[in-house]
Amino acid sequence: LSITAVGGTVTKIPDKAAYTLGERVSLKAVAEPGYEFISWSGALSEKMNPAVITMHSNNSITANFIAGPAANGSVFDGTICEK
């Protein structure tokens, strides 16, 4: 199972190097500050987070994040202040 994530990380449960055929793996995307998770792509194409995939082959999955308002400025009391 190969995971790509830019703007966050992905937690796998169980977290191990190799999975058996038919094994279910839970994936949870965690956004870095200033980003938000929007979807999965690759072998898993959905917007649910966390998501579960059943291993039928060697899968490649990308966690897609977008920059939120805090990525371009700081948020204080709901007000965006430009850098």
Side-chain angles (χ1 to χ4, degrees):
L1 178 60
S2 173
I3 304 287
T4 302
V6 176
T9 59
V10 175
T11 302
K12 302 182 291 184
I13 300 172
D15 185 9
K16 52 189 188 176
Y19 297 94
T20 59
L21 188 65
E23 188 169 3
R24 292 170 50 92
V25 182
S26 176
L27 303 173
K28 182 175 181 179
V30 178
E32 293 175 353
Y35 288 86
E36 62 182 85
F37 172 79
I38 56 168
S39 67
W40 302 100
S41 58
L44 182 63
S45 61
E46 63 178 76
K47 295 181 181 184
M48 297 290 294
N49 185 34
V52 175
I53 186 166
T54 302
M55 300 300 292
H56 294 294
S57 63
N58 187 15
N59 295 306
S60 293
I61 298 171
T62 299
N64 300 299
F65 298 89
I66 60 169
N72 295 321
S74 299
V75 177
F76 299 100
D77 300 325
T79 303
I80 298 175
C81 304
E82 295 299 321
K83 288 184 179 178

